[in-house]
Amino acid sequence: MILAFNSGALAQGGQGSSGQSEQAAQGKDQSEGASVSGQADSQPGRAGADSSPRVSSQVRSTADEATATGVRAELEFNRWLASYLAGGELEGTRSRLETIAVVAMNAGVPADAFKARIREAVAKRATPETMLRAIEEDARRWIWLAGQLDGSAWPPGDRAAELYLSASTALRNGVAEASVAGLLSWAGDTSADAAKAGAALTTAASLSMPFRDAATGDAALTLLRSRLRVRQYSAVVELAVRAQSAGFSSRRFLEALEATLGQGGSLRDLDRALFG
Amino acid sequence: MDSRREEIRKLALRMLDERDGLGVSSPAPLGALPFGADEAGRAVVARAMATIRSGNEDRSIPRRGHRIAWLAAAAAALVAIASSDLTLAFIQRGSPVEVRFVLEAPEATSVWLAADFNDWSPSGYELEKAPDGSWSITVPLRRGASYSYNFVIDGERWVSDPAAPSSLDDGLGGVSSSLSL
Protein backbone atom coordinates (compact mmCIF):
# COMPACT_ATOMS: atom_id res chain seq x y z
CA MET A 1 0.00 0.00 0.00
CA ILE A 2 2.82 2.34 0.83
CA LEU A 3 4.46 1.87 -2.54
CA ALA A 4 1.29 3.08 -4.22
CA PHE A 5 1.72 6.46 -2.55
CA ASN A 6 5.38 6.66 -3.43
CA SER A 7 4.74 6.09 -7.13
CA GLY A 8 5.32 8.88 -9.60
CA ALA A 9 1.65 8.96 -10.54
CA LEU A 10 0.91 11.91 -8.31
CA ALA A 11 3.71 13.95 -9.75
CA GLN A 12 2.57 13.37 -13.30
CA GLY A 13 -0.75 15.08 -12.86
CA GLY A 14 -2.69 15.98 -15.95
CA GLN A 15 -6.07 14.75 -16.99
CA GLY A 16 -5.81 11.45 -15.21
CA SER A 17 -4.45 12.77 -11.99
CA SER A 18 -7.75 13.08 -10.22
CA GLY A 19 -8.69 9.48 -10.78
CA GLN A 20 -5.30 8.25 -9.73
CA SER A 21 -5.44 10.37 -6.64
CA GLU A 22 -8.88 9.09 -5.72
CA GLN A 23 -7.55 5.56 -5.85
CA ALA A 24 -4.50 6.52 -3.91
CA ALA A 25 -6.62 8.23 -1.29
CA GLN A 26 -8.85 5.24 -0.93
CA GLY A 27 -5.86 2.98 -0.67
CA LYS A 28 -4.38 5.34 1.84
CA ASP A 29 -7.39 5.13 4.06
CA GLN A 30 -6.99 1.36 4.13
CA SER A 31 -3.28 1.49 4.72
CA GLU A 32 -3.66 3.82 7.64
CA GLY A 33 -5.27 0.96 9.46
CA ALA A 34 -2.63 -1.47 8.28
CA SER A 35 0.29 0.77 9.14
CA VAL A 36 -0.18 0.32 12.84
CA SER A 37 -0.02 -3.47 12.58
CA GLY A 38 3.75 -3.55 12.92
CA GLN A 39 4.55 -4.99 9.48
CA ALA A 40 8.11 -4.50 8.25
CA ASP A 41 8.73 -1.45 6.12
CA SER A 42 9.20 -2.35 2.48
CA GLN A 43 11.36 0.61 1.54
CA PRO A 44 15.01 -0.27 0.91
CA GLY A 45 17.33 0.94 3.58
CA ARG A 46 14.67 2.11 5.96
CA ALA A 47 13.80 -1.37 7.26
CA GLY A 48 17.40 -1.96 8.21
CA ALA A 49 17.62 1.35 9.96
CA ASP A 50 14.60 0.65 12.12
CA SER A 51 15.59 -1.26 15.19
CA SER A 52 12.18 -2.72 15.97
CA PRO A 53 8.87 -3.42 14.28
CA ARG A 54 7.27 -0.79 16.48
CA VAL A 55 9.63 1.95 15.31
CA SER A 56 9.17 0.79 11.74
CA SER A 57 5.43 1.08 11.97
CA GLN A 58 5.70 4.51 13.51
CA VAL A 59 7.94 5.73 10.70
CA ARG A 60 5.63 4.29 8.12
CA SER A 61 2.58 5.69 9.83
CA THR A 62 4.09 9.18 9.79
CA ALA A 63 5.02 8.84 6.13
CA ASP A 64 1.56 7.54 5.32
CA GLU A 65 -0.09 10.42 7.12
CA ALA A 66 2.02 12.93 5.23
CA THR A 67 1.21 11.27 1.93
CA ALA A 68 -2.48 11.04 2.74
CA THR A 69 -2.53 14.71 3.66
CA GLY A 70 -0.90 15.51 0.34
CA VAL A 71 -3.36 13.41 -1.61
CA ARG A 72 -6.31 14.95 0.18
CA ALA A 73 -4.96 18.44 -0.48
CA GLU A 74 -4.56 17.59 -4.14
CA LEU A 75 -8.10 16.27 -4.40
CA GLU A 76 -9.50 19.25 -2.58
CA PHE A 77 -7.60 21.61 -4.85
CA ASN A 78 -8.79 19.86 -8.01
CA ARG A 79 -12.38 20.02 -6.82
CA TRP A 80 -12.01 23.69 -5.96
CA LEU A 81 -10.44 24.42 -9.34
CA ALA A 82 -13.19 22.62 -11.25
CA SER A 83 -15.84 24.50 -9.33
CA TYR A 84 -14.08 27.86 -9.55
CA LEU A 85 -13.38 27.79 -13.27
CA ALA A 86 -16.66 26.15 -14.30
CA GLY A 87 -18.34 28.05 -17.11
CA GLY A 88 -15.71 30.77 -17.18
CA GLU A 89 -13.35 31.89 -19.92
CA LEU A 90 -10.44 30.18 -18.23
CA GLU A 91 -12.04 26.75 -17.92
CA GLY A 92 -9.80 25.52 -20.73
CA THR A 93 -6.77 26.09 -18.54
CA ARG A 94 -7.97 23.71 -15.84
CA SER A 95 -6.11 20.62 -16.97
CA ARG A 96 -2.81 22.45 -17.31
CA LEU A 97 -3.28 24.20 -13.98
CA GLU A 98 -3.96 20.87 -12.28
CA THR A 99 -0.77 19.45 -13.72
CA ILE A 100 1.31 22.42 -12.60
CA ALA A 101 -0.27 22.49 -9.15
CA VAL A 102 0.07 18.77 -8.51
CA VAL A 103 3.77 18.80 -9.27
CA ALA A 104 4.29 21.83 -7.09
CA MET A 105 2.13 20.59 -4.23
CA ASN A 106 4.08 17.34 -4.19
CA ALA A 107 7.19 19.44 -3.80
CA GLY A 108 5.62 21.08 -0.73
CA VAL A 109 4.00 24.19 -2.21
CA PRO A 110 0.76 25.09 -0.36
CA ALA A 111 -2.41 24.85 -2.43
CA ASP A 112 -3.59 28.18 -1.07
CA ALA A 113 -0.79 29.96 -2.91
CA PHE A 114 -2.20 28.62 -6.17
CA LYS A 115 -5.75 29.51 -5.20
CA ALA A 116 -4.80 33.08 -4.42
CA ARG A 117 -3.03 33.60 -7.72
CA ILE A 118 -5.81 31.95 -9.72
CA ARG A 119 -8.37 34.17 -8.00
CA GLU A 120 -6.29 37.20 -8.87
CA ALA A 121 -5.91 36.14 -12.49
CA VAL A 122 -9.63 35.46 -12.83
CA ALA A 123 -10.57 38.74 -11.19
CA LYS A 124 -8.24 40.68 -13.47
CA ARG A 125 -9.55 38.80 -16.47
CA ALA A 126 -6.15 37.63 -17.57
CA THR A 127 -6.11 35.78 -20.86
CA PRO A 128 -5.59 32.01 -20.64
CA GLU A 129 -2.07 32.39 -22.05
CA THR A 130 -1.13 35.12 -19.59
CA MET A 131 -2.59 33.23 -16.67
CA LEU A 132 -0.82 29.98 -17.52
CA ARG A 133 2.48 31.74 -18.05
CA ALA A 134 2.16 33.58 -14.74
CA ILE A 135 1.17 30.47 -12.78
CA GLU A 136 3.94 28.43 -14.39
CA GLU A 137 6.51 31.04 -13.46
CA ASP A 138 5.14 31.27 -9.94
CA ALA A 139 5.15 27.47 -9.62
CA ARG A 140 8.78 27.33 -10.73
CA ARG A 141 9.69 29.88 -8.06
CA TRP A 142 7.58 28.16 -5.42
CA ILE A 143 9.16 24.77 -6.10
CA TRP A 144 12.56 26.37 -5.68
CA LEU A 145 11.29 27.95 -2.46
CA ALA A 146 9.93 24.63 -1.19
CA GLY A 147 13.37 23.17 -1.79
CA GLN A 148 14.90 25.92 0.31
CA LEU A 149 12.44 25.22 3.11
CA ASP A 150 12.66 21.45 2.87
CA GLY A 151 12.82 19.91 6.31
CA SER A 152 12.18 23.20 8.06
CA ALA A 153 9.31 23.67 10.49
CA TRP A 154 9.21 27.29 9.40
CA PRO A 155 7.03 28.96 8.25
CA PRO A 156 3.98 27.80 10.23
CA GLY A 157 1.39 26.11 8.04
CA ASP A 158 -1.20 28.85 8.37
CA ARG A 159 1.27 31.46 7.16
CA ALA A 160 3.01 29.45 4.45
CA ALA A 161 0.88 30.53 1.48
CA GLU A 162 1.32 34.18 2.38
CA LEU A 163 5.10 33.77 2.43
CA TYR A 164 5.14 31.89 -0.87
CA LEU A 165 3.13 34.67 -2.50
CA SER A 166 5.41 37.37 -1.13
CA ALA A 167 8.50 35.48 -2.23
CA SER A 168 7.24 35.02 -5.78
CA THR A 169 6.33 38.71 -5.94
CA ALA A 170 9.83 39.59 -4.76
CA LEU A 171 11.53 37.26 -7.21
CA ARG A 172 9.34 38.53 -10.05
CA ASN A 173 10.30 42.09 -9.20
CA GLY A 174 14.03 41.74 -9.09
CA VAL A 175 15.02 40.29 -5.72
CA ALA A 176 17.73 37.68 -6.32
CA GLU A 177 17.30 34.05 -5.33
CA ALA A 178 20.41 34.28 -3.18
CA SER A 179 18.84 37.14 -1.21
CA VAL A 180 15.60 35.22 -0.70
CA ALA A 181 17.56 32.13 0.33
CA GLY A 182 19.51 34.19 2.86
CA LEU A 183 16.34 35.59 4.36
CA LEU A 184 14.69 32.17 4.55
CA SER A 185 17.69 30.68 6.26
CA TRP A 186 17.84 33.39 8.89
CA ALA A 187 14.08 33.45 9.38
CA GLY A 188 13.97 29.68 9.81
CA ASP A 189 16.84 29.68 12.29
CA THR A 190 15.23 32.41 14.39
CA SER A 191 11.58 31.39 13.86
CA ALA A 192 10.89 34.87 12.59
CA ASP A 193 7.38 36.19 12.05
CA ALA A 194 6.44 34.82 8.62
CA ALA A 195 4.19 37.78 7.80
CA LYS A 196 7.03 40.15 8.59
CA ALA A 197 9.40 38.12 6.45
CA GLY A 198 6.92 38.34 3.58
CA ALA A 199 6.57 42.08 4.04
CA ALA A 200 10.36 42.44 4.06
CA LEU A 201 10.54 40.59 0.76
CA THR A 202 7.95 42.72 -1.01
CA THR A 203 9.46 45.89 0.43
CA ALA A 204 12.89 44.87 -0.86
CA ALA A 205 11.32 44.41 -4.30
CA SER A 206 9.79 47.88 -4.00
CA LEU A 207 13.23 49.36 -3.28
CA SER A 208 14.44 48.47 -6.75
CA MET A 209 11.62 50.39 -8.43
CA PRO A 210 12.78 53.96 -7.75
CA PHE A 211 16.26 53.18 -9.06
CA ARG A 212 15.01 51.35 -12.13
CA ASP A 213 17.29 48.42 -11.47
CA ALA A 214 17.07 45.07 -9.83
CA ALA A 215 19.90 45.47 -7.35
CA THR A 216 18.31 45.02 -3.95
CA GLY A 217 21.23 43.22 -2.33
CA ASP A 218 20.27 41.81 1.03
CA ALA A 219 17.75 44.55 1.72
CA ALA A 220 15.03 42.04 2.62
CA LEU A 221 17.15 40.42 5.30
CA THR A 222 18.36 43.80 6.55
CA LEU A 223 14.76 44.91 6.98
CA LEU A 224 13.69 41.70 8.67
CA ARG A 225 16.62 41.83 11.09
CA SER A 226 16.12 45.51 11.80
CA ARG A 227 14.07 46.82 14.68
CA LEU A 228 11.58 48.42 12.31
CA ARG A 229 7.99 47.37 12.47
CA VAL A 230 6.23 46.30 9.31
CA ARG A 231 4.23 49.51 9.22
CA GLN A 232 7.50 51.44 8.89
CA TYR A 233 8.58 49.56 5.78
CA SER A 234 6.68 51.92 3.49
CA ALA A 235 8.73 54.79 4.90
CA VAL A 236 11.91 53.00 3.78
CA VAL A 237 10.54 52.91 0.24
CA GLU A 238 9.68 56.59 0.49
CA LEU A 239 13.27 57.30 1.53
CA ALA A 240 14.47 55.30 -1.48
CA VAL A 241 12.31 57.45 -3.73
CA ARG A 242 13.77 60.60 -2.16
CA ALA A 243 17.29 59.23 -2.45
CA GLN A 244 16.83 58.48 -6.13
CA SER A 245 15.49 61.99 -6.70
CA ALA A 246 18.55 63.38 -4.92
CA GLY A 247 20.86 61.49 -7.27
CA PHE A 248 21.84 58.52 -5.11
CA SER A 249 22.55 55.19 -6.77
CA SER A 250 20.84 52.04 -5.52
CA ARG A 251 24.22 50.83 -4.28
CA ARG A 252 24.71 53.95 -2.16
CA PHE A 253 21.20 53.61 -0.77
CA LEU A 254 21.69 49.96 0.12
CA GLU A 255 24.99 50.75 1.81
CA ALA A 256 23.23 53.36 3.94
CA LEU A 257 20.45 50.89 4.67
CA GLU A 258 22.91 48.28 5.92
CA ALA A 259 24.95 50.83 7.86
CA THR A 260 21.91 52.09 9.73
CA LEU A 261 18.95 49.71 9.89
CA GLY A 262 21.28 46.75 9.54
CA GLN A 263 23.14 47.86 12.67
CA GLY A 264 20.07 48.39 14.83
CA GLY A 265 19.51 51.97 13.74
CA SER A 266 16.26 53.77 13.15
CA LEU A 267 14.53 55.35 10.19
CA ARG A 268 15.86 58.67 11.37
CA ASP A 269 19.41 57.28 11.24
CA LEU A 270 18.83 56.21 7.66
CA ASP A 271 17.42 59.61 6.82
CA ARG A 272 20.49 61.29 8.35
CA ALA A 273 22.91 58.95 6.59
CA LEU A 274 21.35 59.85 3.26
CA PHE A 275 20.50 63.50 3.61
CA GLY A 276 22.53 64.71 6.57
CA MET B 1 -24.37 55.66 5.46
CA ASP B 2 -23.34 54.34 8.90
CA SER B 3 -25.09 51.04 8.35
CA ARG B 4 -23.30 50.67 5.02
CA ARG B 5 -19.95 51.35 6.68
CA GLU B 6 -20.75 48.79 9.34
CA GLU B 7 -21.68 46.30 6.63
CA ILE B 8 -18.33 46.83 4.89
CA ARG B 9 -16.50 46.53 8.17
CA LYS B 10 -18.24 43.27 9.03
CA LEU B 11 -17.49 41.87 5.60
CA ALA B 12 -13.84 42.86 5.86
CA LEU B 13 -13.50 41.38 9.33
CA ARG B 14 -15.07 38.15 8.13
CA MET B 15 -12.59 38.01 5.27
CA LEU B 16 -9.78 38.60 7.75
CA ASP B 17 -10.99 35.81 9.98
CA GLU B 18 -11.13 33.44 7.04
CA ARG B 19 -7.66 34.51 6.00
CA ASP B 20 -6.36 34.03 9.52
CA GLY B 21 -7.97 30.64 9.77
CA LEU B 22 -7.10 27.98 7.26
CA GLY B 23 -6.13 30.49 4.66
CA VAL B 24 -9.00 29.21 2.55
CA SER B 25 -12.00 31.34 1.84
CA SER B 26 -14.99 30.72 -0.33
CA PRO B 27 -14.44 31.45 -3.98
CA ALA B 28 -16.22 34.41 -5.44
CA PRO B 29 -18.60 33.54 -8.25
CA LEU B 30 -17.15 34.39 -11.63
CA GLY B 31 -20.27 36.21 -12.61
CA ALA B 32 -19.66 38.75 -9.92
CA LEU B 33 -16.34 39.82 -11.37
CA PRO B 34 -17.06 41.94 -14.43
CA PHE B 35 -13.61 43.42 -14.54
CA GLY B 36 -10.77 43.43 -16.97
CA ALA B 37 -7.14 44.41 -16.51
CA ASP B 38 -6.58 47.74 -18.21
CA GLU B 39 -3.95 50.29 -17.38
CA ALA B 40 -5.68 52.91 -19.51
CA GLY B 41 -7.52 53.85 -16.35
CA ARG B 42 -4.43 55.76 -15.27
CA ALA B 43 -5.61 58.66 -17.39
CA VAL B 44 -8.72 58.98 -15.31
CA VAL B 45 -6.90 58.89 -12.02
CA ALA B 46 -5.61 62.16 -10.79
CA ARG B 47 -4.51 61.20 -7.32
CA ALA B 48 -5.01 58.41 -4.89
CA MET B 49 -3.72 57.37 -1.54
CA ALA B 50 -4.23 54.88 1.19
CA THR B 51 -4.09 56.32 4.66
CA ILE B 52 -4.24 54.80 8.06
CA ARG B 53 -7.03 56.44 9.98
CA SER B 54 -6.41 55.08 13.42
CA GLY B 55 -3.27 53.78 15.07
CA ASN B 56 -0.13 55.73 15.79
CA GLU B 57 1.87 56.21 12.62
CA ASP B 58 4.06 58.93 14.05
CA ARG B 59 7.61 57.96 13.15
CA SER B 60 9.22 60.24 15.69
CA ILE B 61 7.94 58.88 18.96
CA PRO B 62 8.60 61.26 21.84
CA ARG B 63 10.40 60.16 24.95
CA ARG B 64 7.19 60.03 26.93
CA GLY B 65 5.84 57.68 24.33
CA HIS B 66 8.78 55.38 24.97
CA ARG B 67 7.97 55.31 28.69
CA ILE B 68 4.37 54.50 27.97
CA ALA B 69 5.47 51.78 25.56
CA TRP B 70 7.72 50.27 28.22
CA LEU B 71 4.93 50.37 30.79
CA ALA B 72 2.61 48.74 28.29
CA ALA B 73 5.21 46.06 27.59
CA ALA B 74 5.60 45.39 31.30
CA ALA B 75 1.85 45.11 31.66
CA ALA B 76 1.75 42.76 28.71
CA ALA B 77 4.42 40.62 30.35
CA LEU B 78 2.30 40.34 33.49
CA VAL B 79 -0.68 39.36 31.43
CA ALA B 80 1.49 36.81 29.67
CA ILE B 81 2.43 35.25 32.97
CA ALA B 82 -1.22 35.13 34.00
CA SER B 83 -2.53 33.90 30.70
CA SER B 84 0.09 33.04 28.13
CA ASP B 85 -2.40 31.49 25.74
CA LEU B 86 -4.48 34.64 25.61
CA THR B 87 -1.42 36.81 25.01
CA LEU B 88 -0.08 34.49 22.36
CA ALA B 89 -3.38 34.51 20.52
CA PHE B 90 -3.45 38.29 20.64
CA ILE B 91 0.05 38.64 19.29
CA GLN B 92 -0.51 36.10 16.54
CA ARG B 93 -3.69 37.62 15.22
CA GLY B 94 -2.59 41.22 15.53
CA SER B 95 -4.93 44.10 16.06
CA PRO B 96 -7.06 45.47 13.25
CA VAL B 97 -6.38 48.98 12.08
CA GLU B 98 -8.74 51.10 10.02
CA VAL B 99 -7.20 51.89 6.66
CA ARG B 100 -8.77 54.51 4.46
CA PHE B 101 -8.25 54.07 0.73
CA VAL B 102 -8.76 57.22 -1.29
CA LEU B 103 -8.77 57.70 -5.04
CA GLU B 104 -9.32 60.96 -6.82
CA ALA B 105 -11.20 60.15 -9.98
CA PRO B 106 -13.87 62.78 -10.63
CA GLU B 107 -14.86 61.36 -14.01
CA ALA B 108 -15.43 57.83 -12.73
CA THR B 109 -18.95 56.54 -12.21
CA SER B 110 -17.87 53.79 -9.81
CA VAL B 111 -14.70 52.75 -8.03
CA TRP B 112 -14.06 49.44 -6.29
CA LEU B 113 -11.23 48.14 -4.18
CA ALA B 114 -9.83 44.72 -5.07
CA ALA B 115 -7.01 43.29 -3.00
CA ASP B 116 -5.38 40.17 -1.71
CA PHE B 117 -7.25 40.66 1.57
CA ASN B 118 -10.60 40.22 -0.19
CA ASP B 119 -9.50 37.53 -2.62
CA TRP B 120 -9.38 40.16 -5.37
CA SER B 121 -13.14 40.25 -5.41
CA PRO B 122 -14.34 43.84 -5.17
CA SER B 123 -17.78 42.68 -4.13
CA GLY B 124 -18.76 44.75 -1.10
CA TYR B 125 -15.79 47.07 -1.43
CA GLU B 126 -17.30 49.90 -3.42
CA LEU B 127 -15.83 53.32 -2.69
CA GLU B 128 -18.09 56.28 -1.89
CA LYS B 129 -17.83 59.44 -3.90
CA ALA B 130 -17.34 62.78 -2.15
CA PRO B 131 -18.51 66.10 -3.62
CA ASP B 132 -14.89 66.97 -4.50
CA GLY B 133 -14.67 63.99 -6.83
CA SER B 134 -12.60 61.79 -4.56
CA TRP B 135 -13.61 58.24 -3.73
CA SER B 136 -12.92 56.53 -0.45
CA ILE B 137 -13.52 53.45 1.63
CA THR B 138 -12.34 52.48 5.11
CA VAL B 139 -11.37 48.87 5.67
CA PRO B 140 -10.12 47.15 8.83
CA LEU B 141 -6.88 45.28 8.24
CA ARG B 142 -4.49 43.49 10.52
CA ARG B 143 -1.16 44.98 11.39
CA GLY B 144 2.14 43.28 10.80
CA ALA B 145 1.75 42.32 7.16
CA SER B 146 1.90 43.77 3.68
CA TYR B 147 -1.03 43.86 1.29
CA SER B 148 -1.47 44.21 -2.47
CA TYR B 149 -4.37 46.11 -3.96
CA ASN B 150 -5.83 47.79 -7.02
CA PHE B 151 -8.64 50.18 -7.70
CA VAL B 152 -11.19 49.15 -10.31
CA ILE B 153 -12.71 52.09 -12.14
CA ASP B 154 -16.10 51.80 -13.81
CA GLY B 155 -16.02 48.06 -13.41
CA GLU B 156 -13.32 47.46 -15.97
CA ARG B 157 -10.16 49.49 -15.53
CA TRP B 158 -7.68 48.12 -13.00
CA VAL B 159 -5.29 50.77 -11.79
CA SER B 160 -2.58 50.92 -9.17
CA ASP B 161 -2.58 53.62 -6.52
CA PRO B 162 -0.57 56.57 -7.90
CA ALA B 163 0.05 57.80 -4.36
CA ALA B 164 1.33 54.50 -3.00
CA PRO B 165 5.08 54.40 -2.39
CA SER B 166 5.42 51.30 -4.48
CA SER B 167 3.74 49.39 -7.24
CA LEU B 168 4.90 45.97 -8.32
CA ASP B 169 4.56 43.86 -11.45
CA ASP B 170 1.71 41.42 -10.83
CA GLY B 171 2.88 38.97 -13.50
CA LEU B 172 -0.51 39.24 -15.18
CA GLY B 173 0.21 42.22 -17.39
CA GLY B 174 -0.48 44.89 -14.78
CA VAL B 175 0.81 46.34 -11.56
CA SER B 176 -0.51 46.25 -8.02
CA SER B 177 0.15 48.67 -5.22
CA SER B 178 1.74 47.53 -2.01
CA LEU B 179 0.89 48.60 1.53
CA SER B 180 2.69 47.63 4.75
CA LEU B 181 0.89 47.89 8.07
Side-chain angles (χ1 to χ4, degrees):
Chain A
M1 299 299 269
I2 295 169
L3 290 176
F5 303 122
N6 289 337
S7 73
L10 296 179
Q12 289 166 9
Q15 290 279 30
S17 63
S18 294
Q20 290 165 351
S21 303
E22 287 281 7
Q23 288 172 2
Q26 288 164 6
K28 174 68 212 103
D29 290 338
Q30 292 165 13
S31 76
E32 277 180 320
S35 66
V36 293
S37 65
Q39 294 173 358
D41 196 310
S42 61
Q43 292 185 22
R46 182 174 287 179
D50 295 332
S51 58
S52 69
R54 184 179 174 188
V55 172
S56 173
S57 69
Q58 284 173 345
V59 169
R60 189 173 58 182
S61 177
T62 304
D64 286 354
E65 281 169 20
T67 310
T69 302
V71 171
R72 277 194 285 269
E74 180 192 330
L75 288 173
E76 192 274 332
F77 175 79
N78 288 346
R79 287 194 194 106
W80 173 85
L81 189 63
S83 155
Y84 194 66
L85 297 180
E89 291 174 8
L90 296 172
E91 192 170 17
T93 64
R94 180 183 151 197
S95 169
R96 181 69 189 137
L97 286 173
E98 275 185 6
T99 303
I100 297 167
V102 164
V103 172
M105 286 164 66
N106 275 283
V109 176
D112 287 341
F114 277 100
K115 289 180 182 177
R117 283 294 275 163
I118 290 167
R119 285 191 188 109
E120 182 179 0
V122 169
K124 293 182 174 179
R125 284 207 170 168
T127 64
E129 296 75 24
T130 301
M131 183 205 210
L132 284 174
R133 190 173 58 245
I135 300 288
E136 276 175 351
E137 287 173 2
D138 282 339
R140 184 174 48 77
R141 295 181 183 113
W142 290 335
I143 288 170
W144 171 83
L145 192 69
Q148 297 294 309
L149 295 169
D150 190 30
S152 170
W154 188 91
D158 61 345
R159 285 286 173 262
E162 218 172 304
L163 181 76
Y164 273 75
L165 289 163
S166 297
S168 61
T169 298
L171 290 164
R172 187 190 314 124
N173 284 276
V175 177
E177 282 189 353
S179 300
V180 177
L183 176 137
L184 296 175
S185 174
W186 187 85
D189 289 346
T190 60
S191 298
D193 179 346
K196 188 173 186 183
L201 284 167
T202 51
T203 303
S206 300
L207 292 177
S208 70
M209 296 297 127
F211 298 102
R212 303 272 187 265
D213 65 32
T216 62
D218 290 325
L221 181 55
T222 301
L223 286 168
L224 183 59
R225 294 177 67 172
S226 77
R227 59 190 180 96
L228 292 193
R229 295 186 178 195
V230 173
R231 63 176 182 260
Q232 294 174 300
Y233 285 0
S234 295
V236 178
V237 180
E238 285 166 8
L239 282 174
V241 172
R242 275 181 60 201
Q244 190 276 333
S245 301
F248 287 95
S249 65
S250 60
R251 186 179 168 181
R252 173 74 186 89
F253 178 80
L254 293 171
E255 283 172 357
L257 190 79
E258 177 54 37
T260 54
L261 302 186
Q263 306 302 317
S266 65
L267 273 173
R268 191 173 291 179
D269 294 329
L270 176 58
D271 194 314
R272 276 198 213 103
L274 290 167
F275 308 111
Chain B
M1 183 90 62
D2 285 346
S3 64
R4 181 176 143 62
R5 282 205 184 114
E6 186 56 27
E7 211 172 282
I8 290 168
R9 184 182 161 77
K10 279 180 184 167
L11 175 68
L13 285 170
R14 185 162 50 80
M15 298 290 288
L16 279 174
D17 286 342
E18 284 172 355
R19 197 179 145 97
D20 285 348
L22 295 175
V24 180
S25 49
S26 57
L30 294 181
L33 303 168
F35 304 112
D38 181 4
E39 285 304 305
R42 285 175 178 282
V44 178
V45 181
R47 183 178 62 88
M49 59 182 174
T51 56
I52 297 170
R53 198 172 69 173
S54 67
N56 184 6
E57 285 304 292
D58 192 350
R59 287 172 199 136
S60 56
I61 303 167
R63 212 163 243 240
R64 189 177 168 192
H66 276 299
R67 282 198 206 108
I68 292 169
W70 278 109
L71 284 171
L78 287 172
V79 172
I81 292 165
S83 174
S84 58
D85 286 346
L86 180 69
T87 306
L88 187 62
F90 176 78
I91 291 168
Q92 283 177 337
R93 294 181 67 85
S95 53
V97 57
E98 303 264 306
V99 181
R100 187 164 179 248
F101 293 85
V102 181
L103 177 73
E104 199 164 298
E107 294 171 28
T109 54
S110 72
V111 179
W112 300 75
L113 175 67
D116 55 1
F117 54 76
N118 66 2
D119 289 340
W120 298 100
S121 165
S123 177
Y125 286 78
E126 185 175 13
L127 281 71
E128 288 179 13
K129 191 176 188 179
D132 65 357
S134 67
W135 298 76
S136 68
I137 187 172
T138 301
V139 179
L141 294 172
R142 296 215 188 280
R143 279 202 185 282
S146 63
Y147 300 93
S148 296
Y149 66 97
N150 283 104
F151 292 115
V152 187
I153 297 174
D154 296 342
E156 57 183 17
R157 294 195 295 271
W158 287 68
V159 297
S160 58
D161 185 342
S166 63
S167 291
L168 296 169
D169 174 12
D170 65 5
L172 297 166
V175 290
S176 295
S177 297
S178 185
L179 172 70
S180 296
L181 293 177

